[in-house]
Amino acid sequence: SEDTTMAEKQIVHTSAAPAAIGPYSQAVKANGFLFVSGQIALDAASGEMIDGDIEAQTRQALGNLRAVLEAGGAALADVVKCTIYLTTMDHFPLVNQIYGELFSEHPPARAAVAVAQLPKNALVEVDAIAAL
C-alpha cells in the first residue's frame, strides 16, 4: 500500500483586497505555494468596480493582487506564474507596460489570453502563483 497524505491547505483572507464574490478564496497556501485567485479592479472597501479605463483597472487589479500576496506572506518578487485575462488584446501593450513596472526584475512566467467577458464587466483580471 502507498502512504499518501493530503497537503494541508490554509485559506488566506485580507480586508486589504476585495472579498471573494463567489465560492472561492482570495488565496490558498499549499505545499509551499500561494495560489492567488484572479483579481479585478474592485475597490477593497466598497466591493464595487472602480471607475476608470484599462490603465486604472490594471493598476487596481495589480494592487489587489499585491495585497493578497502580502496577506499570504509573499511579495511580488515571489511570484513564479501569472495569467492575465483581457477582454481585448488591443489593451495588451498598455497592460504589459504597467505589468512590467511591477515585475521589472526576474519576471515570472506568464500567459496573457483574450476572453469574451470577465466578472463585473472588468477589462482585465490577473491571477498568480507564488513560491513561499
Side-chain angles (χ1 to χ4, degrees):
S1 81
E2 196 174 37
D3 181 24
T4 57
T5 56
M6 290 295 293
E8 185 163 332
K9 79 178 187 182
Q10 178 183 348
I11 304 303
V12 174
H13 174 76
T14 177
S15 59
I21 55 175
Y24 61 90
S25 300
Q26 287 174 319
V28 176
K29 281 185 189 182
N31 290 342
F33 289 95
L34 180 66
F35 299 87
V36 180
S37 292
Q39 299 296 312
I40 58 176
L42 293 174
D43 175 76
S46 70
E48 298 299 321
M49 286 292 294
I50 64 161
D51 289 327
D53 59 8
I54 186 61
E55 179 177 359
Q57 285 199 25
T58 301
R59 292 188 187 284
Q60 182 70 39
L62 289 170
N64 291 342
L65 184 79
R66 182 191 311 225
V68 177
L69 284 164
E70 289 173 354
L76 289 170
D78 299 316
V79 174
V80 295
K81 174 72 166 73
C82 272
T83 305
I84 301 173
Y85 307 89
L86 299 161
T87 56
T88 173
M89 278 297 174
D90 293 343
H91 291 151
F92 182 75
L94 183 54
V95 171
N96 196 48
Q97 176 190 330
I98 296 164
Y99 177 94
E101 293 169 9
L102 289 183
F103 294 104
S104 56
E105 285 191 42
H106 311 293
R110 185 183 76 186
V113 295
V115 297
Q117 193 173 12
L118 290 167
K120 303 271 189 183
N121 291 314
L123 301 174
V124 61
E125 181 171 4
V126 184
D127 67 21
I129 301 169
L132 297 173

